[in-house]
Amino acid sequence: MTDTATPTPREAFEMLMAGNHRFATGTPEHPNQDAARRAEIAPAQRPFAVLFGCSDSRLAAEIIFDRGLGDLFVVRTAGHVMGPEVLGSIEYGASVLDSPLVVVLGHDACGAVAATRAAVEDGTTVRGYVRDVIERVTPSVLAARAAGMSDDGDFIAEHVRHTVNLITDRSQVLAAQIATGRTAVVGLSYRLTDGTAQLVASRGLDVPAELAS
């Protein structure tokens, strides 16, 4: 993003998915990664999207969406679990930095979801603060099981949808911005093998099928 105008939520989503398409097809452009961009954004940042994703090392946002410096305001936790500090960070990106798009990014083979399934289904226990992560993923796993889901991909998608719902339900700031069309929140599920991000949830953005993958 090189212009100074704030994109609409739809435009921001299109930019993000276009970058993912370039990455997945092996044709990245590596935009906004030079000295000129570094100097341009030194006084202030205006990211076009807030990306809340899993901390997994295979999920580097600027790489898989083919973006550069100042494009994305990134917040990451294991299993994209959310607490007050995370929600505050997301609100900061959307309301203070005026980012028109909030993205929840999950992925297949997520260790946090797998560990939570093991805890729920087999009674497997963990030590330390990892238990807190599992407790926060548990509602998603229980909802998926109640719906009769068994495929790993379905559990991942349900957890992404649950996180989108938490953000929009708990944050009055984001709910108000969605209502006025200033901000949209979407949930994506990333596939590690082919590098594509698939839409699984959307709030405040009517996404045509051709833009959903």
Side-chain angles (χ1 to χ4, degrees), residues 4-5 12 27 32-33 35 41-43 55 72 93 95 112 121-122 135 145 147 151 162 169 173 177 181 188 201 211:
T4 58
T27 57
N32 297 333
Q33 297 182 18
I41 64 170
S55 296
L72 305 177
S95 63
E121 297 170 4
D122 306 325
E135 288 175 353
R145 283 167 54 87
D151 183 74
H162 179 73
D169 289 346
V173 171
Q177 293 186 192
L188 302 176
L211 296 179

Side-chain angles (χ1 to χ4, degrees), residues 87 90-91 165-176 178:
L87 193 54
I90 295 171
E91 287 186 345
N165 289 337
L166 280 179
I167 290 173
T168 54
D169 289 346
R170 292 184 179 179
S171 173
Q172 295 182 358
V173 171
L174 288 172
I178 291 171

Side-chain angles (χ1 to χ4, degrees), residues 127-142:
R127 296 180 178 180
Y129 285 100
V130 176
R131 181 180 302 173
D132 185 67
V133 174
I134 289 177
E135 288 175 353
R136 296 189 191 207
V137 179
T138 295
S140 302
V141 170
L142 292 177

Side-chain angles (χ1 to χ4, degrees), residues 29-55:
E29 297 176 356
H30 306 294
N32 297 333
Q33 297 182 18
D34 56 12
R37 177 62 168 178
R38 184 179 69 228
E40 176 190 355
I41 64 170
Q45 60 172 321
R46 296 191 65 189
F48 72 83
V50 177
L51 195 142
F52 174 39
C54 181
S55 296

Side-chain angles (χ1 to χ4, degrees), residues 41-120:
I41 64 170
Q45 60 172 321
R46 296 191 65 189
F48 72 83
V50 177
L51 195 142
F52 174 39
C54 181
S55 296
D56 193 292
S57 61
R58 299 165 291 182
L59 217 66
E62 285 86 355
I63 294 176
I64 67 175
F65 291 107
D66 191 30
R67 301 308 313 183
L69 297 172
D71 288 334
L72 305 177
F73 186 79
V74 181
V75 183
R76 299 175 71 182
T77 63
H80 54 83
V81 298
M82 189 175 64
E85 67 287 345
V86 169
L87 193 54
S89 297
I90 295 171
E91 287 186 345
Y92 180 83
S95 63
V96 178
L97 300 181
D98 204 26
S99 298
L101 183 69
V102 174
V103 180
V104 175
L105 180 65
H107 66 98
D108 57 0
C110 178
V113 173
T116 304
R117 289 188 69 179
V120 170

Side-chain angles (χ1 to χ4, degrees), residues 14 20-21 48 68-69 72 75 78-79 83 100 113 144 155 179 192 198 207:
E14 291 175 354
N20 178 246
H21 178 74
F48 72 83
L69 297 172
L72 305 177
V75 183
V113 173
F155 276 80
L192 295 170
Q198 310 293 324
V207 182

